[in-house]
């Protein structure tokens, strides 16, 4: 087992979908999508999101999966193996660096979730006022060392899973956690919709179509969100693609994963916003929503003790399945480029991340010296990766798959060498999306994000 150069393959179709969906479902689904949807026209936004996914993100996802499965190697080597003389041959390194940087702050947020899971079990929210909850959150984050220690727990768990291997570690974990996550989510949704007073208002917030709230900016928001949510532009899907069986239908897999990812995001909204409105609280997003607004609501809700535990368990599951995918990007790179065993590579990456995430956690402490131009290292990493590196990585990948790689690559992978007749029929449409539509909109998004549009 775990021999260098022997490539693992996911064992089952359902396992493959669980792994890919696990990599996609994360904080983006929980604390970002529902809020953006609510603020940008509810169902109108969801429709735009669907269209954007079909025309822009799914083609990008297909490009990454196809490149990975075709070359069966890490996300850096893929480009070199396909065109070793092309000026872009080293561009895969961008994805490896992006994944590494994202991990360094994502594990800290995972640590916050773990801490809040523990607080929920200890019934710590109960009886606290909003001001007290806010103070304890600030003390915790600004304490630096505690979030770091919780982050280490997340990183250690991730290292163990990835160290066990692709099938026995990664596939098995996702096959257990993803159904569990959906189960927890459904319990929370049912409680929010049927048992909370005045849940209608929250439902209307996310579901009522309001086309007047849709602007150009809405479309950019939809593209950015769906891109982040599907974990594109940083090699995660390339590396997962490299473990997909040759017999699997990539188009079906990509569409299923994107539908699951979107459905979970909508369900998160249905769990969260009826509760927010039911207690007359202003809707918010991000850390404030998870670590302030919701604990505050749980203290007031009937059965809040149990629901808080279920909710933070769900957040921890969602983060861990994502950190595993991020970690695998670096590990497969180190393994194959330095020709070392999986477990040794895991240790290298683990120690490197211990160091970097320490700096990230430290940058959030009071009077930290790791604040540059008014922003902590944490915020810099977050913003540079989401607003610059991910879209750039995405553009490079779709252009590479559509224009630079041999013409037969995409067709062979997306139609399993023309043996899948339905896929063959639609291939030319998908090819147009990959070659023209997806790069065009991703370039627009990139220009918008760096302020040139
Ligand atoms: N897709 C994850 C989310 O929605 C974030 C992520 C991005 C995870 C890139 C891995 C890689 O939260």
């Amino acid at each position: 087992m775990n021999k260098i150069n022997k490539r693992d393959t996911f064992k089952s179709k359902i396992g493959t979908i669980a792994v890919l969906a696990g990599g996609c479902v994360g904080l983006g689904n929980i604390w970002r999508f529902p809020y953006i949807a609510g603020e940008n026209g509810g169902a109108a936004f969801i429709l735009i999101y669907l269209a954007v996914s079909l025309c822009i993100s799914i083609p990008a996802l297909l490009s990454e999966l196809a490149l990975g499965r075709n070359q069966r190697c890490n996300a850096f080597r893929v480009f070199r193996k396909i065109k070793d003389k092309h000026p872009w041959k080293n561009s895969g390194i961008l994805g490896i660096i992006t994944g590494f940087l994202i991990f360094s702050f994502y594990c800290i947020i995972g640590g916050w979730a773990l801490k809040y899971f523990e607080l929920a079990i200890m019934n710590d929210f109960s009886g606290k006022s909003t001001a007290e909850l806010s103070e304890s959150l600030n003390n915790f984050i600004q304490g630096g060392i505690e979030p770091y220690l919780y982050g280490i727990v997340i990183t250690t768990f991730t290292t163990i899973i990835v160290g066990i291997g692709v099938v026995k570690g990664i596939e098995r974990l996702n096959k257990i956690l993803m159904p569990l996550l959906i189960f927890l989510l459904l319990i929370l949704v049912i409680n929010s919709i049927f048992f909370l007073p005045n849940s209608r208002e929250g439902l209307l917030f996310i579901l009522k179509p309001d086309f007047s709230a849709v602007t150009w900016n809405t479309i950019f928001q939809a593209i950015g969100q769906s891109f982040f949510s599907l974990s594109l532009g940083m090699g995660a899907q390339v590396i997962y693609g490299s473990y997909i069986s040759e017999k699997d239908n990539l188009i079906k897999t990509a569409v299923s994963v994107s539908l699951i990812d979107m459905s979970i995001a909508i369900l998160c909204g249905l769990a969260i916003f009826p509760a927010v409105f039911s207690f007359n609280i202003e809707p918010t997003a991000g850390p404030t929503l998870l670590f302030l607004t919701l604990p505050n609501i749980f203290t007031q809700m009937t059965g809040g003790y149990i629901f808080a535990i279920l909710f933070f368990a769900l957040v921890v599951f969602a983060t861990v399945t994502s950190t595993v995918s991020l970690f695998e990007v670096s590990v497969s790179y180190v393994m194959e480029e330095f020709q070392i065993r999986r477990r040794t590579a895991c240790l290298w990456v683990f120690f490197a991340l211990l160091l970097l995430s320490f700096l990230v956690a430290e940058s959030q402490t009071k009077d930290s010296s790791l604040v540059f131009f008014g922003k902590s290292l944490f915020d810099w990493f977050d913003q540079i990766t989401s607003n610059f590196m991910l879209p750039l990585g995405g553009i490079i990948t779709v252009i590479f798959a559509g224009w630079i790689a041999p013409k037969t690559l995409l067709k062979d992978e997306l139609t399993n060498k023309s043996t899948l007749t339905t896929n063959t029929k639609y291939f030319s449409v998908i090819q147009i999306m990959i070659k023209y539509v997806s790069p065009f909109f991703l370039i627009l998004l990139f220009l918008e994000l760096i302020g040139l549009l």
Side-chain angles (χ1 to χ4, degrees):
M1 206 182 79
N2 289 341
K3 289 241 184 59
I4 302 161
N5 297 334
K6 181 182 168 295
R7 199 138 194 99
D8 298 287
T9 307
F10 296 134
K11 282 282 167 291
S12 63
K13 278 200 181 97
I14 197 88
T16 306
I17 292 189
V19 171
L20 295 184
C24 294
V25 172
L27 293 162
N29 302 61
I30 304 172
W31 79 23
R32 225 162 134 238
F33 178 92
Y35 180 76
I36 301 184
E39 290 288 302
N40 285 278
F45 178 85
I46 294 176
L47 274 181
I48 292 172
Y49 189 85
L50 246 179
V52 159
S53 300
L54 269 181
C55 304
I56 302 164
S57 327
I58 294 180
L61 176 57
L62 285 171
S63 309
E64 294 203 8
L65 296 177
L67 288 175
R69 189 170 74 167
N70 189 264
Q71 295 298 322
R72 300 209 164 264
C73 62
N74 72 74
F76 164 70
R77 186 165 287 214
V78 152
F79 296 87
R80 307 191 77 158
K81 265 179 87 181
I82 295 175
K83 280 267 148 110
D84 68 343
K85 300 237 156 45
H86 197 273
W88 288 15
K89 68 177 194 286
N90 288 326
S91 56
I93 198 69
L94 179 69
I96 313 284
I97 298 172
T98 312
F100 190 73
L101 293 183
I102 295 183
F103 193 105
S104 71
F105 66 85
Y106 211 85
C107 71
I108 300 293
I109 307 176
W112 301 351
L114 191 61
K115 166 82 182 176
Y116 271 67
F117 176 59
E118 186 190 313
L119 291 179
I121 293 178
M122 318 247 280
N123 204 9
D124 189 81
F125 310 135
S126 133
K128 284 202 170 134
S129 67
T130 316
E132 283 167 331
L133 286 169
S134 160
E135 196 190 319
S136 56
L137 176 65
N138 281 338
N139 286 344
F140 169 65
I141 293 180
Q142 292 180 359
I145 193 74
E146 213 190 344
Y148 177 60
L149 294 179
Y150 281 91
I152 292 184
V153 177
I154 301 281
T155 310
T156 309
F157 179 76
T158 308
T159 310
I160 294 171
I161 297 296
V162 174
I164 294 174
V166 171
V167 176
K168 292 199 172 132
I170 302 179
E171 186 172 350
R172 201 187 302 160
L173 175 90
N174 280 289
K175 264 164 85 176
I176 299 171
L177 287 193
M178 286 313 283
L180 214 56
L181 183 148
I182 294 174
F183 177 68
L184 293 183
L185 188 54
L186 289 178
I187 298 181
L188 292 162
V189 171
I190 292 172
N191 176 54
S192 281
I193 298 185
F194 296 109
F195 296 102
L196 294 181
N198 200 18
S199 60
R200 224 180 96 84
E201 215 181 316
L203 289 181
L204 290 180
F205 176 68
I206 337 169
L207 294 182
K208 190 178 156 217
D210 174 9
F211 283 92
S212 69
V214 173
T215 59
W216 275 110
N217 187 42
T218 312
I219 298 174
F220 283 126
Q221 295 242 36
I223 304 175
Q225 172 62 20
S226 89
F227 205 73
F228 182 79
S229 198
L230 291 177
S231 303
L232 295 167
M234 40 121 345
Q237 305 292 7
V238 175
I239 191 66
Y240 275 170
S242 77
Y243 302 130
I244 296 182
S245 150
E246 254 146 43
K247 294 190 210 94
D248 278 8
N249 181 335
L250 288 187
I251 299 183
K252 239 186 186 164
T253 308
V255 173
S256 318
V257 167
S258 132
L259 282 179
I260 294 174
D261 184 59
M262 186 171 109
S263 311
I264 290 184
I266 296 176
L267 285 172
C268 285
L270 299 184
I272 295 172
F273 285 108
V276 170
F277 281 91
S278 175
F279 291 94
N280 266 326
I281 294 174
E282 275 295 300
T284 46
T288 328
L289 173 69
L290 283 204
F291 302 112
L292 209 57
T293 311
L294 289 174
N296 185 16
I297 288 169
F298 289 130
T299 62
Q300 305 173 47
M301 183 190 281
T302 321
Y305 171 67
I306 299 289
F307 291 119
I309 297 178
L310 300 186
F311 179 76
F312 284 107
L314 181 152
V315 181
V316 172
F317 293 167
T319 342
V320 164
T321 50
S322 292
T323 51
V324 162
S325 77
L326 287 164
F327 201 82
E328 178 63 20
V329 174
S330 297
V331 167
S332 56
Y333 167 76
V334 173
M335 250 169 91
E336 288 162 20
E337 298 311 312
F338 298 92
Q339 290 286 307
I340 55 176
R341 287 176 170 270
R342 170 169 287 273
R343 289 184 187 171
T344 321
C346 280
L347 281 181
W348 282 28
V349 177
F350 174 73
F351 285 116
L353 280 167
L354 280 196
L355 197 73
L356 193 63
S357 55
F358 175 76
L359 300 180
V360 169
E362 211 282 323
S363 77
Q364 294 221 304
T365 53
K366 249 198 205 119
D367 307 322
S368 167
S369 52
L370 294 170
V371 173
F372 309 99
F373 302 101
K375 270 191 204 138
S376 66
L377 196 62
F378 187 111
D379 292 337
W380 274 111
F381 281 2
D382 178 13
Q383 292 180 11
I384 291 182
T385 50
S386 330
N387 297 343
F388 185 77
M389 295 172 83
L390 284 179
L392 187 62
I395 293 168
I396 291 174
T397 317
V398 277
I399 294 183
F400 198 87
W403 296 91
I404 300 169
K407 282 202 181 71
T408 49
L409 188 151
L410 271 182
K411 181 145 197 206
D412 283 352
E413 290 303 328
L414 299 189
T415 64
N416 290 7
K417 302 214 163 75
S418 303
T419 55
L420 301 169
T421 39
T422 323
N423 292 16
T424 314
K425 217 164 74 197
Y426 292 114
F427 177 72
S428 47
V429 180
I430 296 172
Q431 197 180 24
I432 292 174
M433 301 289 179
I434 294 179
K435 285 182 84 160
Y436 303 97
V437 183
S438 192
F440 175 74
F441 281 99
L442 289 178
I443 290 172
L444 280 189
L445 172 73
F446 183 69
L447 295 176
E448 205 256 352
L449 286 172
I450 60 172
L452 286 181
L453 208 73

